[in-house]
Amino acid sequence: MEPEILELESFLPYRLYRLADAVSREFSKIYRDRHGLTRPEWRTLSGLGQRGTMTATALGEQSAMHKTKVSRAVAELERRRWLTRTPDENDRRVEHLALTKAGLAAYCEMVPLAKAFEGELLERMSAAERVAIVSSVAALEGALEGK
Amino acid sequence: MEPEILELESFLPYRLYRLADAVSREFSKIYRDRHGLTRPEWRTLSGLGQRGTMTATALGEQSAMHKTKVSRAVAELERRRWLTRTPDENDRRVEHLALTKAGLAAYCEMVPLAKAFEGELLERMSAAERVAIVSSVAALEGALEGK
DNA sequence: CCAAACTTGTTTCATTTGTAACCATTGAAA
DNA sequence: TTTCAATGGTTACAAATGAAACAAGTTTGG
């Protein structure tokens, strides 16, 4: 009997991973070249810039990072004096993180670059494709939920 | 002036990466639990199963892996006696890789599991969404090309 | 023919990552 | 209360990764 074949190039998990990896790699050049940030550091900066003040746990949830990544990213941004920690008054295990002026400046510099990157990508697609990518990513996320 | 905000949760590179990571992680359980394979090893097995015989360079191109990943994955599969190397007759730098009986058996066991995984995901989406995900991933890949 | 440039594939080293153990603190139960 | 499980966060260790140097072989241009 013929062995059943899997075509890797069109296998969804592979396809998706390769695309995301390529996009992420391309985008990472921006924050790497600009500020020497790693992806966890960029996400941390981004999360705090967006929300203002967050705990490490909240950061991990928002940006889908393991707590060790968060811990290390926060440590590095603190070393740069891009963020400060404020102990919670009621629960002494918790720290509230917030960007300093320098951190906020870096964030404000990055935001337009990030939007421009995303814009350039979307610009090269038709309007229908733009809708399709957003909605089908959501659909697939939903499909994965139940597994 | 208000600082411009980036909403990470809907930022395409993040969105895409998170989805691909989740899908890949879920799928990786299958080859990890079953055979203790890493992702590069799985891709190598998959490439050779699909194509029969390939060089390391070809494997890297097909499955978007850095040559060091290929090198290490091949070494591990060889250690397991899942593949053999045959020196090229004309160019002694090149080795042709092929699965052994044991390697092929593992591949044949994995293929239906992989297809079932993909099928279960797609099954949870509407027909329109299935079309949309495939075509919009292709469109985005195309858009990234030109960058 | 021969040196320089290039290709294939491996190895080395530094960095990044994930797992698990860990510390400190809190909340809940006995 | 006192103990025990759960939580927030860090650290230690092992594995995975990427960049760059490398060895071996091949091609090309003078």
Side-chain angles (χ1 to χ4, degrees):
Chain A
M1 179 201 153
E2 273 297 289
E4 203 182 350
I5 296 289
L6 179 76
E7 206 178 324
L8 188 61
E9 298 91 323
S10 52
F11 183 53
L12 189 57
Y14 167 69
R15 204 86 206 294
L16 216 50
Y17 192 92
R18 196 182 61 173
L19 172 63
D21 195 56
V23 170
S24 176
R25 227 172 257 273
E26 191 65 32
F27 177 58
S28 76
K29 289 181 189 165
I30 297 178
Y31 51 74
R32 191 165 38 69
D33 293 355
R34 205 83 176 183
H35 294 295
L37 294 173
T38 63
R39 187 167 48 218
E41 286 155 19
W42 149 250
R43 286 193 186 169
T44 299
L45 180 71
S46 178
L48 292 178
Q50 176 186 341
R51 300 255 183 108
T53 292
M54 297 175 82
T55 67
T57 302
L59 260 172
E61 281 164 8
Q62 191 215 4
S63 55
M65 293 192 292
H66 191 270
K67 61 181 180 174
T68 60
K69 278 190 186 168
V70 175
S71 175
R72 294 188 258 240
V74 166
E76 169 59 22
L77 296 190
E78 183 186 32
R79 199 195 58 71
R80 293 184 184 215
R81 303 191 193 289
W82 280 15
L83 67 74
T84 55
R85 308 175 191 242
T86 311
D88 184 280
E89 302 199 331
N90 303 321
D91 186 339
R92 283 156 51 202
R93 292 168 302 184
V94 176
E95 287 172 329
H96 299 279
L97 308 166
L99 295 183
T100 61
K101 211 154 192 178
L104 194 58
Y107 176 71
C108 289
E109 187 194 336
M110 282 299 306
V111 168
L113 299 177
K115 289 188 174 174
F117 177 87
E118 186 184 41
E120 277 172 43
L121 271 189
L122 293 175
E123 192 171 85
R124 292 152 186 262
M125 302 171 63
S126 72
E129 285 166 343
R130 282 196 282 274
V131 174
I133 187 73
V134 170
S135 65
S136 61
V137 163
L140 196 45
E141 257 176 357
L144 193 62
E145 282 289 301
K147 294 224 37 151
Chain B
M1 176 200 156
E2 273 297 290
E4 204 182 350
I5 296 290
L6 178 77
E7 204 177 326
L8 188 62
E9 297 91 323
S10 52
F11 183 52
L12 189 58
Y14 168 69
R15 205 87 205 294
L16 215 51
Y17 192 93
R18 196 182 62 173
L19 173 63
D21 194 57
V23 170
S24 176
R25 226 173 258 274
E26 190 66 30
F27 177 58
S28 77
K29 288 180 190 165
I30 296 177
Y31 51 75
R32 193 166 36 72
D33 292 356
R34 206 83 176 186
H35 294 295
L37 294 174
T38 62
R39 188 168 46 219
E41 286 156 18
W42 151 249
R43 287 192 186 169
T44 298
L45 180 70
S46 178
L48 293 178
Q50 176 185 341
R51 299 255 184 107
T53 292
M54 298 176 82
T55 66
T57 302
L59 260 172
E61 281 164 8
Q62 192 213 4
S63 56
M65 292 193 292
H66 191 271
K67 61 181 179 173
T68 59
K69 277 190 188 170
V70 175
S71 175
R72 294 189 258 241
V74 166
E76 168 59 22
L77 295 191
E78 184 185 33
R79 200 194 58 71
R80 293 185 184 215
R81 304 191 192 289
W82 280 14
L83 65 75
T84 56
R85 308 175 191 244
T86 311
D88 183 279
E89 302 199 331
N90 304 319
D91 187 340
R92 282 155 53 203
R93 291 169 303 184
V94 177
E95 288 172 328
H96 298 279
L97 308 165
L99 295 182
T100 61
K101 210 154 190 176
L104 194 59
Y107 176 73
C108 288
E109 186 194 336
M110 282 299 307
V111 168
L113 299 176
K115 289 188 173 174
F117 177 86
E118 186 183 40
E120 276 170 45
L121 272 188
L122 293 174
E123 190 172 86
R124 291 153 188 261
M125 302 171 63
S126 72
E129 285 166 343
R130 282 195 283 272
V131 173
I133 186 73
V134 169
S135 64
S136 61
V137 163
L140 196 45
E141 258 176 356
L144 193 62
E145 282 289 301
K147 294 226 37 155

